[in-house]
Amino acid sequence: MTKGWGLMSMSAWKRAGVSLAAVAVVAGVAGCQDGDGGGKAAEAPVKPKPQAQSQEAVTKVIQAAYTKTAEAKSAKVRMTVSVTGAGADSGTTEMSGVQGWDPAVMDVTMNGSMLGSAGESGMPDKIRVIMRDNVMYMDMGTEYGAQLDGRRWMKMDFAALAEQAGDKSLQKQMTQGLDGINQDPAQQLALLLESPNLKHVGPAKVEGVPTQHYKGTLSVEDMLNANKAYDELIPEKDRKTLLANIEKAGITGYDTELWVNEDGYPAKMVVGMKMPQGAMNMTAHYSDYGTQATVQAPPAKDTVDLIEMLKGLGES
């Protein structure tokens, strides 16, 4: 491995890391309804405006969607993450593929401006990302592979990285971060149920499919309280410090929108987060719930371990 390759890779990996971190932050699995339903052409006869669902009905719909989504365990996903007002880290990244949440696996292809251009950063135009057993693999393409005896896959075992640092709490947080990257849509529904102002917006079409549109907001404090996993990861005194820092940064919470199709599954989710320096939005389209999500890790002979690469850079 050459020193020049390593330095160029660090810049490229920063770009990829920003994209993946954006997914993890806004998901915690993303705010406006799109124009999937087309224009407002005149209809005859004019239909009466549909009445909004009662709060009890809304809760039942979201609870039922949560149950069906949790039982499906997997789906095809198409996701767009956009960051604005963040300087060099602003941009858009798109991902598409298949993901599973019981167990947590992912096989997607990433592309977009947040990865940088292949000519400037050395990154391929598209990157295949696989996640399995809390380990992430990124296909860096034939150009990188040729410089590493054909090993084109970068292996990132975040728990192992934390263990190298000798920090067990960091190891837990790394694992939790991977869960955020491979966001379980059922968890998003559970969080939405905690919103104090969850409401029914009305009927809408998503890519021509009839759906019902819902929305709600959740403060960061409500999100932390609703997610029991944080009880173990973040002690109460540290949680207060975390909340104080988040408030100081000007982050108030998350805006979430959801479109439920006639089969009772989420067809689309939008999660947005605003900050003084900009905003992040994640839009996810789901389909083919229960689809086969068999994800295989690349052969060991085709992978380069990030830990070993960092050791090599340190020595050089």
Side-chain angles (χ1 to χ4, degrees):
M1 175 172 57
T2 66
K3 181 178 180 182
W5 179 89
L7 293 175
M8 180 172 63
S9 297
M10 289 302 98
S11 175
W13 281 111
K14 179 185 177 184
R15 282 284 185 179
V18 167
S19 302
L20 294 171
V23 179
V25 169
V26 299
V29 89
C32 297
Q33 178 181 341
D34 61 9
D36 293 327
K40 297 181 179 179
E43 294 183 357
V46 177
K47 296 181 180 180
K49 184 177 180 179
Q51 294 183 345
Q53 297 173 0
S54 66
Q55 194 64 39
E56 181 181 3
V58 171
T59 301
K60 286 183 178 180
V61 169
I62 306 303
Q63 286 178 333
Y66 165 79
T67 299
K68 295 194 72 170
T69 303
E71 292 176 349
K73 299 183 179 182
S74 60
K76 291 183 179 179
V77 61
R78 191 175 77 253
M79 186 182 301
T80 300
V81 179
S82 63
V83 179
T84 59
D89 290 332
S90 296
T92 301
T93 293
E94 297 178 350
M95 309 179 195
S96 64
V98 63
Q99 74 170 119
W101 43 91
D102 187 15
V105 294
M106 175 180 282
D107 188 344
V108 298
T109 299
M110 294 175 54
N111 66 85
S113 59
M114 287 176 67
L115 296 179
S117 65
E120 293 178 357
S121 66
M123 297 284 284
D125 291 327
K126 295 184 178 181
I127 298 178
R128 184 180 174 192
V129 179
I130 290 176
M131 195 186 82
R132 177 184 173 88
D133 300 326
N134 288 327
V135 178
M136 184 173 294
Y137 304 86
M138 298 182 74
D139 184 356
M140 300 305 294
T142 55
E143 181 180 344
Y144 280 155
Q147 300 178 61
L148 294 167
D149 301 322
R151 295 176 294 164
R152 57 187 293 168
W153 288 89
M154 181 65 69
K155 176 182 177 181
M156 291 174 286
D157 187 336
F158 291 102
L161 283 170
E163 187 174 352
Q164 287 282 326
D167 190 336
K168 295 298 182 182
S169 63
L170 177 61
Q171 182 175 345
K172 290 182 179 181
Q173 293 177 46
M174 288 282 193
T175 302
Q176 189 73 14
L178 280 175
D179 290 341
I181 293 169
N182 188 25
Q183 184 54 227
D184 176 351
Q187 291 180 1
Q188 285 295 102
L189 291 170
L191 285 174
L192 186 59
L193 281 168
E194 298 291 333
S195 172
N197 56 359
L198 176 62
K199 66 179 183 179
H200 175 233
V201 179
K205 284 190 176 181
V206 173
E207 298 182 331
V209 176
T211 68
Q212 293 295 329
H213 181 190
Y214 304 87
K215 69 186 304 182
T217 59
L218 196 67
S219 70
V220 175
E221 184 174 7
D222 290 337
M223 185 272 290
L224 290 175
N225 291 334
N227 193 333
K228 301 304 180 184
Y230 289 110
D231 292 342
E232 179 183 356
L233 292 175
I234 308 176
E236 184 177 357
K237 62 181 181 66
D238 294 334
R239 184 180 305 190
K240 291 180 179 179
T241 302
L242 173 62
L243 286 172
N245 290 335
I246 291 175
E247 291 176 357
K248 185 177 180 180
I251 301 172
T252 57
Y254 302 90
D255 298 317
T256 302
E257 296 192 66
L258 168 70
W259 288 259
V260 179
N261 63 25
E262 294 180 332
D263 292 327
Y265 289 106
K268 177 181 175 182
M269 287 187 185
V270 177
V271 175
M273 182 177 70
K274 293 181 180 179
M275 303 165 287
Q277 66 270 34
M280 284 193 294
N281 286 281
M282 182 185 77
T283 300
H285 289 81
Y286 295 99
S287 64
D288 298 277
Y289 282 89
T291 190
Q292 189 73 15
T294 302
V295 176
Q296 298 294 331
K301 65 181 181 63
D302 296 332
T303 66
V304 176
D305 195 308
L306 179 62
I307 294 178
E308 298 304 319
M309 187 190 79
L310 293 176
K311 287 181 179 178
L313 289 174
E315 291 173 358
S316 62

